């Protein structure tokens, strides 16, 4: 089985070495065995796992949610139905967040429309000499 250094894994997965160490500390990536030289020796599975984590982050999963998805994957009794349920739940959360963001955007547009030109008139009034 091919073994890779942490630098090789980082390059293949498109992440930094410190990111790999962080994921190990967080329990997202198993700590690899060490060679006689003391260097960590990774397999290609680590690269695939790191790519999965990166993709899940792009899909707005939190690290805790990713950890849960990985636990389902690692569990021989884990099912695709469980993964589908988690992804459906995440999609619902994102839908609610998107609706809230759109509502905020619309509120900002209304505020901007009401403020249009008002600031100049108010500033002009405050600068004009009193009678």
């Amino acid at each position: 089985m091919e073994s890779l250094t942490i630098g090789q894994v980082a390059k293949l997965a498109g992440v930094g070495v410190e990111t790999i160490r962080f994921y190990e500390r967080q329990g997202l990536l198993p700590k690899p065995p060490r060679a006689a030289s003391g260097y960590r020796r990774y397999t290609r599975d680590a690269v695939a796992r790191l790519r999965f984590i990166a993709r899940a982050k792009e899909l707005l999963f939190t690290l805790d949610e990713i950890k849960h998805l990985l636990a389902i994957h690692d569990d021989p009794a884990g099912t695709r139905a469980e993964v589908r349920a988690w992804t459906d739940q995440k999609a619902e959360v994102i839908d609610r967040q998107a609706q809230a963001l759109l509502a905020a955007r619309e509120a900002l547009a209304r505020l901007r429309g009401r403020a249009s030109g008002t600031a100049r008139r108010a500033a002009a009034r405050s600068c004009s000499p009193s009678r």
Side-chain angles (χ1 to χ4, degrees), residues 60-75:
L60 304 178
F61 281 96
T62 66
L63 291 183
D64 283 339
E65 291 167 336
I66 295 169
K67 189 182 294 189
H68 187 83
L69 288 170
L70 288 168
I72 293 170
H73 175 269
D74 294 342
D75 182 356

Side-chain angles (χ1 to χ4, degrees), residues 89-101:
Q89 181 181 9
K90 187 63 176 184
E92 290 172 12
V93 168
I94 290 171
D95 285 344
R96 284 193 302 274
Q97 290 171 334
Q99 289 170 355
L101 287 170

Side-chain angles (χ1 to χ4, degrees), residues 47-120:
V47 175
R49 195 170 183 100
L50 287 164
R51 288 179 178 161
F52 174 84
I53 293 168
R55 181 69 179 127
K57 283 180 60 183
E58 289 173 1
L59 296 172
L60 304 178
F61 281 96
T62 66
L63 291 183
D64 283 339
E65 291 167 336
I66 295 169
K67 189 182 294 189
H68 187 83
L69 288 170
L70 288 168
I72 293 170
H73 175 269
D74 294 342
D75 182 356
T79 66
R80 289 182 177 173
E82 287 178 275
V83 173
R84 273 194 306 276
W86 268 84
T87 55
D88 288 347
Q89 181 181 9
K90 187 63 176 184
E92 290 172 12
V93 168
I94 290 171
D95 285 344
R96 284 193 302 274
Q97 290 171 334
Q99 289 170 355
L101 287 170
L102 285 173
R105 175 95 165 80
E106 290 169 2
L108 286 170
R110 285 191 303 275
L111 179 61
R112 183 179 187 279
R114 285 194 305 252
S116 208
T118 307
R120 275 187 247 133

